[in-house]
Amino acid sequence: MSQETTADTTVGSGTGTGTGDESWIRETEVDGIRTVLAPASDETFTAGLFFRVGVADETLATAGVTHLVEHLALHSLGLSDLHYNGATAATYTLFHVTGTPEEVTTHLNGVCAALRDLPVERLETEREILRTEAAGRSVGPDHQLPMWRYGAQGYGLTSYAEFGTWHLTAEAVLDWARTRFTRDNAVLWITSDTVPDSLDLTLPAGAPQPLPTLSSALPVAPAYTRGGSGGVVMDGIVRRSTAATLFAEVFSRALYADLRQKGGYSYTAEAGYRPRDAEFATITAFADALPMKQDAVVGGFVDVVARLRAGTIDQAELDAARAKFRKHFQGPDVAASRLPAYALNLLTGHPNLTVAEHLAELDAVTVDDLREVARELHSTALFQVPGRGLDWAGFAEAPQWSDPVETGAGSRHRSLEDDSVVLTVSPEAVSMTTPTGSIVVRYDACAMLLAYQDGGRHLVGLDGFRIPVEPTLYKRLTPARLAVIDAGVPPEAVVHMPARGTESVPRPQRRDGGPLSRAARFLSPRRGRTGRG
């Protein structure tokens, strides 16, 4: 039986809803879990259970552990006609369901029962399911930007595959569930004004999890990196505010007007706002392009950013964006529709506003406020562009090679494909020197080591730089030298990979009698083989 506290608070008022009806969200507590309630006018019964744990809380070597817990918790519920699902994001995991009160209660009770006693006998099967899911999942055009901005840790992990699914033990998954999926680290929301009596959300106690630690792999901004072939994508970090949400809409309309309607360069040209943590949000923008129109799209995109940064924003642009957002606060279901965002704010520590306060903030935003957001966005901007760079626009190229690092003496191994490429293995680090630059991964800053049974060792640094160490591609790279790497990398960063087929083990290749084909591909930081990615 649910244990609901009686000290509730009513949040919100009827002002500005456009209906005259009272809009309210009631806060309470169920089985030790913070809970927010607001009924829907159509009597739809929907609930969501948030946990403050996500991809950005993992390490590269354990990436996917939260997703595994989510899948295991839902497996025991079996087939159902209910509309339900789970989602694992950067900072949260959500279980949500729609049905009758009885169906929703049964579902949530089952989720919590499974979290208390995960069916880890399903672990091997769920590993395969997650890898199959990842193989068929398409990624967005901004997929690589988190890695370039944050590195191979924290928020940057959303750019990477779920390497933890290859090796995590049942005990590791159980420990993650015990310490993160707790009643003190959760918020429940229900589109109802009451809590069902039979709801049983019993979960272990546990400390609320802080938001992920911020990291940076981008020493200077605004910056750019080359990559992709389908268009231009950028993101920037701004303070969370009503002005920033309105600016994202103005930015989106400006891109559409200039790149699609006027220029005819793009089909899709848009921008969006997404909260990152309690204080900051990410504004992401994208414009697609055919190969022959890429330069025009890059130029037009940069011009839009420059125009907004310079303050050339019409009052009409702000008014149109404001009118769109005011509609979100009209109608009888304002409170019910805002429950997920309200609950997530409780989970992450961001203040919640009443409807009246939201409307007052919308009305208070000025064109000058939008200009300030535009300048903040520009100062943190990271572009990914096809073809030539953005030096001409005053943007710095994101680091393509490691900073010089003292690693001590080590054994040198020349590439079998290119004599100018040298791999050095020392007790402190692995480094690769090329005519263009060098890459270094220190063992004490190694996010992950992929260890293959045939001797292959792929190192990824916390800064996102990676070096594939393949005995078949370097002179005298003996098991004794590989043992130096194995001894230096912390055990928690090692992922033991299954055996590779002989066709998957790289072999030296030559083209037209020359020395390099594979080496050239390996040494391109933008291709994710060696370098960043």
Side-chain angles (χ1 to χ4, degrees):
M1 301 289 287
S2 63
Q3 298 296 315
E4 179 185 355
T5 61
T6 57
D8 301 338
T9 57
T10 297
V11 181
S13 70
T15 58
T17 64
T19 66
D21 296 331
E22 185 181 30
S23 174
W24 54 271
I25 292 177
R26 185 164 72 95
E27 294 186 23
T28 184
E29 192 174 277
V30 177
D31 294 331
I33 296 175
R34 289 172 294 174
T35 301
V36 289
L37 305 169
S41 61
D42 61 359
E43 299 184 355
T44 300
F45 202 87
T46 300
L49 182 58
F50 276 116
F51 291 92
R52 223 308 293 144
V53 59
V55 177
D57 299 289
E58 303 166 346
T59 67
L60 187 56
T62 64
V65 61
T66 309
H67 202 179
L68 275 170
V69 172
E70 176 219 312
H71 267 234
L72 290 168
L74 289 174
H75 162 72
S76 59
L77 302 177
L79 294 174
S80 171
D81 292 331
L82 276 177
H83 176 70
Y84 74 92
N85 208 342
T88 301
T91 59
Y92 66 84
T93 301
L94 170 65
F95 298 95
H96 61 92
V97 57
T98 297
T100 66
E102 294 76 17
E103 289 170 334
V104 169
T105 297
T106 299
H107 181 84
L108 290 179
N109 289 355
V111 167
C112 290
L115 289 172
R116 294 193 301 267
D117 185 19
L118 281 181
V120 289
E121 66 277 4
R122 286 271 309 175
L123 184 57
E124 292 303 319
T125 301
E126 294 301 334
R127 292 184 204 274
E128 294 293 331
I129 291 173
L130 288 188
R131 290 198 289 268
T132 302
E133 178 185 340
R137 183 191 303 129
S138 60
V139 297
D142 63 332
H143 178 65
Q144 289 296 311
L145 291 184
M147 179 273 295
W148 284 98
R149 182 177 293 279
Y150 302 109
Q153 56 184 318
Y155 294 97
L157 294 181
T158 57
S159 292
Y160 289 87
E162 295 175 330
F163 291 104
T165 61
W166 289 102
H167 73 110
L168 287 170
T169 65
E171 183 53 41
V173 176
L174 286 170
D175 182 68
W176 193 257
R178 281 193 297 261
T179 55
R180 271 75 174 181
F181 290 82
T182 67
R183 63 174 179 257
D184 303 295
N185 199 42
V187 174
L188 170 71
W189 57 269
I190 309 175
T191 57
S192 172
D193 54 3
T194 60
V195 176
D197 289 337
S198 55
L199 195 61
D200 180 5
L201 305 183
T202 303
L203 288 171
Q209 295 295 309
L211 285 162
T213 301
L214 267 181
S215 58
S216 177
L218 197 65
V220 63
Y224 74 91
T225 182
R226 297 182 181 92
S229 60
V232 181
V233 61
M234 69 150 287
D235 70 12
I237 308 302
V238 298
R239 282 178 289 272
R240 290 181 64 172
S241 67
T242 300
T245 60
L246 289 175
F247 171 81
E249 177 65 19
V250 169
F251 186 20
S252 186
R253 290 170 183 243
L255 287 172
Y256 186 86
D258 284 19
L259 299 182
R260 175 165 174 170
Q261 292 183 315
K262 295 178 184 177
Y265 307 134
S266 298
Y267 175 75
T268 300
E270 59 190 12
Y273 171 100
R274 182 178 68 254
R276 184 190 69 183
D277 52 39
E279 297 183 63
F280 292 92
T282 303
I283 292 178
T284 304
F286 170 71
D288 57 9
L290 293 172
M292 68 285 295
K293 296 291 184 69
Q294 286 176 351
D295 286 347
V297 170
V298 171
F301 200 121
V302 172
D303 285 347
V304 170
V305 174
R307 173 174 75 81
L308 298 178
R309 178 193 175 207
T312 311
I313 303 173
D314 293 335
Q315 182 66 41
E317 294 178 281
L318 169 58
D319 291 341
R322 183 164 25 227
K324 176 179 177 178
F325 278 90
R326 284 190 67 89
K327 292 178 182 178
H328 296 172
F329 299 96
Q330 296 175 351
D333 290 329
V334 175
S337 66
R338 296 197 59 78
L339 279 175
Y342 190 99
L344 195 54
N345 283 342
L346 284 180
L347 197 66
T348 59
H350 183 74
N352 275 306
L353 302 179
T354 66
V355 170
E357 289 167 339
H358 273 295
L359 292 170
E361 287 205 357
L362 279 172
D363 291 340
V365 174
T366 66
V367 169
D368 284 339
D369 293 330
L370 297 191
R371 291 169 182 155
E372 285 304 311
V373 176
R375 291 165 187 154
E376 185 179 20
L377 177 70
H378 179 268
S379 70
T380 62
L382 173 62
F383 273 80
Q384 178 180 293
V385 295
R388 65 192 182 102
L390 289 179
D391 306 83
W392 58 270
F395 289 70
E397 187 171 20
Q400 302 292 308
W401 305 98
S402 300
D403 291 332
V405 177
E406 183 61 43
T407 61
S411 59
R412 291 166 55 85
H413 308 273
R414 203 168 294 279
S415 168
L416 293 171
E417 297 180 314
D418 184 350
D419 288 342
S420 66
V421 176
V422 177
L423 185 78
T424 301
V425 178
S426 79
E428 293 83 22
V430 172
S431 61
M432 180 178 289
T433 304
T434 80
T436 308
S438 298
I439 299 167
V440 179
V441 177
R442 292 187 57 89
Y443 304 139
D444 59 5
C446 182
M448 181 181 67
L449 169 66
L450 294 181
Y452 292 95
Q453 298 176 22
D454 53 60
R457 299 289 186 268
H458 292 202
L459 298 95
V460 182
L462 291 172
D463 55 9
F465 284 102
R466 67 180 291 170
I467 301 176
V469 178
E470 294 287 356
T472 53
L473 298 181
Y474 293 92
K475 298 177 181 178
R476 298 183 299 279
L477 193 52
T478 63
R481 302 316 303 163
L482 297 175
V484 173
I485 300 174
D486 294 341
V489 174
E492 61 270 19
V494 179
V495 177
H496 293 282
M497 300 296 287
R500 294 186 288 188
T502 55
E503 71 284 354
S504 299
V505 178
R507 303 292 176 188
Q509 296 181 16
R510 293 175 180 268
R511 182 174 57 189
D512 300 328
L516 35 106
S517 60
R518 182 180 296 274
R521 294 194 299 274
F522 260 61
L523 296 174
S524 172
R526 295 179 297 276
R527 294 182 185 269
R529 301 292 299 278
T530 294
R532 295 287 283 276

